[in-house]
Amino acid sequence: MGKITGFMEFDRMERPERPPLNRLEDDKEFHGSLSHRQRREQSGRCMDCGVPFCQAGIQWEGERLGCPLHNLIPEWNEMLWMGNLAHALSRLLKTNPFPEFTGRVCPAFCERACLCGRVGEPVTVRDNELAIIEYAFQNGLIQARPPQRRSGMRVGIVGSGPAGLAAAYFLNRRGHSVTVLERDSQPGGLLTYGIPSMKLDKAVVRRRLDLMEQEGIVFHTGVNVGTDITPAELDENFDAVLFACGARKPRPVEYEGQSGSGVCFGLDYLIDAAKSAETGTEPLCSARGKRVAIIGAGDTASDCAAVAMRQGCTDLTQIIRKPASYYPPKADYAREEAEARFGRDVRRFETKVRAVACNEDGELTAVTLTTPQGEEVLETDLLLVASGFSGCEEDSLAAREAMPCPEKVFSAGDMVLGASLVVLAIADGRRAAAEIDKWLMGYTNIQ
């Protein structure tokens, strides 16, 4: 325990944020950082509990508590307090291959389980984690570490999202030759194309991908498995194949009328925006100058709202079928920005879209809402459907099922879990890596 009375002496302090209206002017990350003294104090709040539920990663009464990766949180908090950042880093990397990702986009189950939070505010675990890894990158503590010897085994990984990358990381460290096949033009999956840059700067993703390449992992992009490479070729070229293709198939919403142009699924909209930023071209589906309605209340819906405002939408309405009591009172980043931009809460609870209306050119003009007060027509130019996901896309499933030797085929990530979280995908990628390693070698030390 770094500071025995730290939890009584120091108040919780989170990273500063740029004002909402200011950050709407660009798509850069909007969090700042604390001073070294302030960050040290935050680590000193860790109580080093006898039973550290923060690293438990369990389900309790329907709620997930503790880190799914079982991060050794009290250990690296103590090292952060002691000023031994190198040792803190070694304890952090023992369980988490990508702290720079989870430190930015994880919902922090660890903090929900923090006992300090039972009588006050929990420890800033996620921010402490991010501070350690960013210090390490900035001070040369992170270097490429290719394996000293190779096993002679070849592993193909289909999909380069967080699960695929995690599996590649652990399998490469075990000495297997890993090739990652990605259908998009850049690796990273959800990290590159599904999470907006203001939450996860793409330079951060590229930094990690470059490091993985230096360690010997091979990435082939623009490869559509099942078309550009057949299941039979996968079977011939690799000793084991992992499918980590995500769960990008959207869940449709039923309503009356023909959609026409102006209706887009949420993830498709985010991917389009990310690719347009990557290429410097105009997005195919832009919110610029449009009245936007978003169906959904999850992370994808929030990200759609944030991107739409940055593209220059003139109005925004978030359509949510559940009552307000279902959601926490604390505003997320997109809601803060929307209230600052439009001067109101843009959410409409207990509301559904019953019908859409288009003009003679097939362009969306309005949606009819069913509300507790009755029906209402909302003038709308762009409807973004962020109502969840129904599973993996059919072509990915078909490619997996067509593999000639099922015993050498494994699956991980959202393809197994359903649409989930980055931290859970990383944990499942590690699990799959251990299974593959054991199948190839007869045993594994991946934990």
Side-chain angles (χ1 to χ4, degrees):
M1 188 172 188
K3 175 70 171 174
I4 295 177
T5 56
F7 66 95
M8 295 187 290
E9 296 180 26
F10 307 129
D11 293 330
R12 178 183 171 100
M13 181 180 294
E14 299 183 12
R15 291 181 294 157
E17 297 180 352
R18 285 192 286 152
L21 289 178
N22 173 271
R23 65 197 195 215
L24 281 174
E25 297 177 1
D26 55 56
D27 62 353
K28 298 178 181 177
E29 290 188 2
F30 52 83
H31 287 98
S33 58
L34 300 181
S35 68
H36 175 70
R37 178 187 61 80
Q38 290 170 328
R39 179 55 59 207
R40 181 170 178 264
E41 289 178 352
Q42 292 307 298
S43 68
R45 297 184 68 241
C46 181
M47 302 168 66
D48 193 14
C49 308
V51 179
F53 290 105
C54 58
Q55 63 189 49
I58 60 174
Q59 291 271 9
W60 183 259
E61 295 183 348
E63 183 178 4
R64 186 175 292 277
L65 296 175
C67 178
L69 291 167
H70 306 294
N71 283 343
L72 305 176
I73 294 166
E75 295 185 27
W76 46 256
N77 267 329
E78 180 179 5
M79 290 300 103
L80 182 55
W81 169 262
M82 299 296 290
N84 192 340
L85 275 297
H87 196 183
L89 176 68
S90 71
R91 306 312 290 163
L92 178 56
L93 294 181
K94 187 173 179 64
T95 55
N96 189 350
F98 311 131
E100 68 271 31
F101 301 155
T102 54
R104 287 175 165 87
V105 301
C106 182
F109 297 125
C110 50
E111 295 184 19
R112 297 184 193 177
C114 176
L115 291 185
C116 192
R118 300 302 170 183
V119 293
E121 292 293 321
V123 174
T124 54
V125 179
R126 180 177 55 195
D127 287 356
N128 293 355
E129 173 184 302
L130 183 59
I132 293 169
I133 190 64
E134 288 302 324
Y135 174 91
F137 272 110
Q138 293 163 13
N139 290 274
L141 298 181
I142 299 291
Q143 299 292 332
R145 296 174 56 195
Q148 294 182 351
R149 58 181 61 87
R150 290 291 178 180
S151 67
M153 298 293 182
R154 300 163 301 169
V155 180
I157 297 179
V158 183
S160 64
L165 292 181
Y169 173 93
F170 286 107
L171 289 167
N172 183 66
R173 287 175 66 86
R174 280 285 284 154
H176 306 309
S177 297
V178 179
T179 300
V180 181
L181 307 174
E182 171 56 53
R183 68 181 179 182
D184 282 320
S185 60
Q186 294 293 326
L190 174 74
L191 301 169
T192 298
Y193 294 111
I195 301 175
S197 294
M198 51 275 194
K199 291 174 66 176
L200 178 60
D201 193 314
K202 302 315 158 192
V204 172
V205 182
R206 187 70 255 174
R207 180 179 65 184
R208 174 57 68 174
L209 293 171
D210 289 345
L211 186 65
M212 295 177 75
E213 287 181 328
Q214 294 168 27
E215 293 178 334
I217 297 171
V218 176
F219 291 93
H220 291 314
T221 57
V223 178
N224 199 333
V225 172
T227 303
D228 300 316
I229 183 171
T230 66
E233 289 172 322
L234 279 179
D235 182 80
E236 180 181 353
N237 292 329
F238 299 106
D239 299 295
V241 178
L242 172 67
F243 282 81
C245 303
R248 287 168 47 167
K249 183 179 178 181
R251 180 182 294 117
V253 173
E254 294 184 359
Y255 46 74
E256 299 174 12
Q258 297 295 320
S259 295
S261 63
V263 179
C264 183
F265 284 112
L267 185 56
D268 292 342
Y269 173 71
L270 295 177
I271 292 172
D272 176 52
K275 289 186 175 180
S276 71
E278 177 183 284
T279 59
T281 58
E282 283 295 313
L284 299 175
C285 182
S286 175
R288 186 181 306 279
K290 296 179 179 178
R291 300 161 295 184
V292 177
I294 302 172
I295 300 176
D299 290 340
T300 301
S302 292
D303 292 342
C304 285
V307 170
M309 286 184 283
R310 283 163 174 78
Q311 288 182 341
C313 67
T314 58
D315 192 40
L316 184 66
T317 302
Q318 190 172 355
I319 301 165
I320 304 172
R321 64 182 176 86
K322 295 181 180 179
S325 59
Y326 188 83
Y327 301 96
K330 184 177 180 180
D332 67 7
Y333 83 108
R335 180 177 152 200
E336 288 180 346
E337 294 170 356
E339 290 183 359
R341 172 70 174 80
F342 298 107
R344 59 182 172 83
D345 188 344
V346 299
R347 299 172 298 170
R348 299 286 301 273
F349 295 104
E350 299 180 75
T351 301
K352 297 181 181 179
V353 172
R354 186 186 66 77
V356 299
C358 299
N359 61 21
E360 59 186 13
D361 295 323
E363 299 169 334
L364 182 70
T365 58
V367 295
T368 301
L369 304 179
T370 301
T371 76
Q373 292 76 37
E375 287 198 348
E376 174 185 340
V377 175
L378 178 69
E379 294 182 345
T380 304
D381 306 302
L382 178 61
L383 177 64
L384 301 176
V385 182
S387 55
F389 304 90
S390 60
C392 188
E393 293 165 308
E394 281 81 2
D395 56 348
S396 299
L397 293 172
R400 184 184 65 179
E401 295 304 314
M403 289 293 293
C405 300
E407 65 272 11
K408 66 192 294 184
V409 178
F410 301 81
S411 301
D414 287 1
M415 196 173 191
V416 175
L417 305 170
S420 188
L421 301 164
V422 169
V423 66
L424 294 175
I426 293 173
D428 203 57
R430 183 178 65 186
R431 172 202 58 78
E435 291 183 4
I436 292 170
D437 185 41
K438 185 175 181 180
W439 188 78
L440 292 173
M441 306 299 290
Y443 75 100
T444 186
N445 60 10
I446 299 174
Q447 299 178 347

